[in-house]
Each structure stands twice: as C-alpha cells, then as structure tokens.
Amino acid sequence: MDKSAKISGPDDFDKYISAELPDEKKYPELHRLVCKHMMHGPCGVLNKNCGCMVDGACRFKYPRQFCEATQQGKDTYPIYRRRQDGQKVYIRKKWLDNRWVVLYNPTLLMRYNCHINVEVCCSIKSIKYIYKYIYKGTDCASFAVQDSGEDGPIEVNEIKQYRKARCITAIEAVYRLFRFPMYSMSPPVLQMQVHLPGMHMVPFNHDDNLEDVLEQAKSQRSMLTEFFRMNVEDPEARKYLYREFGRSCLGISLRNFGSLGKDVFRSGGWSMHILLKVKDITYECF
C-alpha cells in the first residue's frame, strides 16, 4: 500500500469515519440517512427491553461517552470524536445525541443508503478480521467429564487442548494442502552458539539411543568449536570474526561441520547473526 493511502493516526481517522450527527443545514440528505440507518437503540435506561441488552447493559456499549477529539487506543479500537454540540434527534420515541451514533463513512452511506458500520483496525489484531473472524465458523466449547469421586488433581494436557481447540481457517488449510510457505523471515536470523566446553546443544530424534548420539563424531562439534578449529588449521580463517564465520560459508549445511574445508571462506548469501550480551553474559535469542 502506498504511504499516502495508509491511515496512520487520529487525524486520518476523522477524514474517513464519523461518530457524530452531521449539520442538518449543510448536509440535509446525509443527516437524514444517519438518522435512518446509523442510530443505535435506544437501549439501556431508555429501553431495558432492547435486543442488545445483556445482564442489564448494552453489549455494544451504548451510549458511548462524549469525546472532544479522536484518540488512538492502546492495542485496541480508537476512541472516536463525539462532541457534546447540543444536536439531538427524535428516533423511536426517544431523543438521541452523538453518543448513540454508530460509526459510519459519509461517502459509503450516501452511495449505498443502508447501514454500514465502518471502523479503523490498525493494530496487530487486524489479522483477526482478515482471516479468523470471517472463516472461524460457529462458536465451540471444550469441556471434560470427570468422576466426582476422584479426589486427585485434574490432569491438564495443554497439547491436546491446543489441538482440539485451535482454529484452522480455510485459507490456512489450503496453504497446507498445497505446501505453500506458512511464514518467512527477512533478513534470516542465525543464533550463534556460545558455550563452555562440552556444554553445546546436540540435536537428536526422540527415538535415538542417547549413548549412540553421544558417541557420534558430529555430536562433539558445534559452530563455536569449528570456528576455533578453523582458526588453528587455516590462517585465512583468522581474519574473520565469529559473527562472520557462518556468513562466509557457501554451499554447506551449518549443521554438518564435517564438510568444512579450506575453501569454505567465500562470499555467499547474507543473514543477521545475533550474540545477545548483557553485562558480559551471553544469552540465547529466540
């Protein structure tokens, strides 16, 4: 999206979205449409039997509070401008003011002459509207039945709960069926191991024999140990820092250090290498 087309702050919100009654003298037709399509309720103390009432309160949080200027909420919806300008309209046998106006876009309302609720969603939660909210289907609940005679603690298996309750949308399912990439990272980040002798991480499968894993030659090596070895064996390697070591490798797997040779230091692809230190202590980065 072009930068000029992005909605970036409260000033831009007011250009496209209104939460107020328009001036009836300047915009008579728009005023008529707002009164016809974009006024909520009345509910609450004005009408406790309204369909939006749940436990004695409006589930859409009307009437809203007056606000002199639009404000950006923290990781939530903005608080839109609803000035106390004295305007009131008689709707469904009640006098309503700006607190009852449903958010609208004047252009869309004039064009389509129907109820169209328009809001700004510019936080990370906007992904919910693009995918999950549209494709989630009906609401579901997860529950378990346990014998009341059992006094022991209830076993909670978070992995099973996640698998049963997670939401897989139609778009994600199609992506997985066609084996499309699910995520990417740019620039790629490589975690540089820093460890004491014999304290490096060793990858293995869940069904591997741990004694056999420890005896394997590759289990005794890490990127750090190979960096030291190459500095001993190859004078050309000594001009590279540890953070440049992996970046200088071309056409090799960083998991297979047995393939390192004297011609390994060539200009290749690039990535971001991280060594996180706080007070001279190195921590892992994720």
Side-chain angles (χ1 to χ4, degrees), residues 20-22 66 68 82-88 97-98:
E20 297 179 320
L21 289 163
F66 286 118
E68 289 300 316
R82 296 175 185 270
R83 291 168 293 190
Q84 191 172 2
D85 54 10
Q87 286 199 84
K88 291 185 179 181
D97 52 27
N98 286 336

Side-chain angles (χ1 to χ4, degrees), residues 85-125:
D85 54 10
Q87 286 199 84
K88 291 185 179 181
V89 291
Y90 194 69
I91 303 292
R92 292 179 280 276
K93 300 181 181 181
K94 301 293 180 180
W95 286 99
L96 306 180
D97 52 27
N98 286 336
R99 294 176 298 172
W100 299 91
V101 178
V102 180
L103 300 170
Y104 66 94
N105 175 269
T107 302
L108 294 177
L109 183 59
M110 291 288 291
R111 181 179 180 88
Y112 295 104
N113 188 16
C114 65
H115 177 88
I116 303 178
N117 178 212
V118 181
E119 296 197 37
V120 171
C121 190
C122 57
S123 73
I124 189 64
K125 294 181 180 179

Side-chain angles (χ1 to χ4, degrees), residues 31-277:
H31 184 274
R32 185 186 68 83
L33 293 177
V34 170
C35 295
K36 180 180 178 181
H37 299 296
M38 305 308 298
M39 298 300 294
H40 180 79
C43 61
V45 295
L46 298 181
N47 182 11
K48 295 182 179 180
N49 297 321
C50 187
C52 63
M53 297 294 290
V54 177
D55 296 330
C58 175
R59 63 190 181 98
F60 299 112
K61 300 180 181 180
Y62 283 93
R64 303 295 178 91
Q65 297 297 317
F66 286 118
C67 183
E68 289 300 316
T70 301
Q71 304 172 16
Q72 173 65 66
K74 184 178 181 181
D75 197 22
T76 183
Y77 293 109
I79 301 173
Y80 296 93
R81 182 179 62 191
R82 296 175 185 270
R83 291 168 293 190
Q84 191 172 2
D85 54 10
Q87 286 199 84
K88 291 185 179 181
V89 291
Y90 194 69
I91 303 292
R92 292 179 280 276
K93 300 181 181 181
K94 301 293 180 180
W95 286 99
L96 306 180
D97 52 27
N98 286 336
R99 294 176 298 172
W100 299 91
V101 178
V102 180
L103 300 170
Y104 66 94
N105 175 269
T107 302
L108 294 177
L109 183 59
M110 291 288 291
R111 181 179 180 88
Y112 295 104
N113 188 16
C114 65
H115 177 88
I116 303 178
N117 178 212
V118 181
E119 296 197 37
V120 171
C121 190
C122 57
S123 73
I124 189 64
K125 294 181 180 179
S126 60
I127 196 69
K128 179 185 73 172
Y129 280 83
I130 301 175
Y131 296 106
K132 183 178 178 181
Y133 188 81
I134 299 174
Y135 297 102
K136 68 177 182 178
T138 57
D139 294 336
C140 300
S142 176
F143 64 93
V145 179
Q146 184 180 14
D147 190 351
S148 59
E150 297 181 4
D151 298 329
I154 300 176
E155 181 183 355
V156 179
N157 191 319
E158 295 184 0
I159 297 177
K160 287 184 178 180
Q161 287 183 350
Y162 170 77
R163 288 178 174 175
K164 291 180 179 180
R166 67 173 178 155
C167 176
I168 300 179
T169 65
I171 292 179
E172 181 180 351
V174 171
Y175 260 62
R176 291 186 181 277
L177 287 172
F178 286 100
R179 297 183 179 180
F180 293 152
M182 298 297 295
Y183 64 91
S184 62
M185 181 181 294
S186 179
V189 178
L190 176 66
Q191 180 183 341
M192 309 292 291
Q193 292 192 41
V194 178
H195 56 82
L196 297 174
M199 300 294 291
H200 57 280
M201 293 183 291
V202 177
F204 60 90
N205 297 322
H206 69 280
D207 55 349
D208 288 345
N209 185 295
L210 295 183
E211 293 182 358
D212 295 338
V213 172
L214 293 176
E215 292 178 359
Q216 294 176 1
K218 66 178 182 180
S219 298
Q220 309 302 322
R221 299 190 297 269
S222 71
M223 184 180 293
L224 183 62
T225 60
E226 292 302 298
F227 172 70
F228 291 143
R229 183 181 67 83
M230 290 300 297
N231 276 269
V232 172
E233 297 179 359
D234 190 349
E236 183 70 15
R238 297 169 190 169
K239 67 180 183 179
Y240 293 97
L241 299 175
Y242 181 39
R243 59 182 178 141
E244 301 171 326
F245 183 65
R247 182 167 57 188
S248 302
C249 299
L250 178 64
I252 65 169
S253 172
L254 294 176
R255 296 180 181 271
N256 183 11
F257 297 103
S259 63
L260 291 173
K262 289 189 176 182
D263 60 343
V264 74
F265 293 95
R266 298 178 183 171
S267 140
W270 69 284
S271 62
M272 182 180 292
H273 299 64
I274 290 182
L275 281 172
L276 180 60
K277 284 191 175 183

